[in-house]
Amino acid sequence: MCRIFAGQDPERYELETRRMRLNGQSTSIRLEKSFWAILDEIAEGEGLSTPAFVSKLHGEVLELKGEPKNFTALLRCTCLVHRERDLPAPGAQIAAE
């Protein structure tokens, strides 16, 4: 089983740094390429650029919860929430073809 995970393409977990503005402040965010791909997908679905989506998310988190202790962890969990929404509900049956 672990070979599925261990054998993945190393480029998927290679770190990528992107510079952007969060609420007017210039910053750098470093995430694995796989997470950037998901954030790009989410942003596109919202009709935003990735920096605009990340900035909007940061602003909403500030408003709801205050400054997050680890914003990159929040971004990774955002990707997980996005993927979990796409999964069928537990016990849901898929029609046979």
Side-chain angles (χ1 to χ4, degrees), residues 6-58:
Q8 68 182 300
D9 183 353
E11 190 171 314
R12 290 177 45 99
Y13 53 86
E14 185 176 312
L15 289 171
E16 180 179 323
T17 302
R18 296 192 189 180
R19 294 197 51 75
M20 60 185 68
R21 288 191 160 302
L22 296 181
N23 300 315
Q25 298 280 59
S26 182
T27 190
S28 295
I29 298 176
R30 190 172 188 189
L31 290 170
E32 294 80 1
K33 286 185 176 183
S34 293
F35 288 112
W36 281 122
I38 296 169
L39 289 170
D40 292 341
E41 179 184 308
I42 296 169
E44 183 179 334
E46 295 291 322
L48 299 168
S49 67
T50 302
F53 170 74
V54 171
S55 185
K56 181 177 180 179
L57 175 61
H58 185 258

Side-chain angles (χ1 to χ4, degrees), residues 64-82:
L64 291 171
K65 304 282 186 176
E67 186 67 48
K69 291 180 182 177
N70 186 338
F71 188 63
T72 56
L74 177 98
L75 291 174
R76 289 182 187 95
C77 288
T78 297
C79 294
L80 292 173
V81 169
H82 176 70

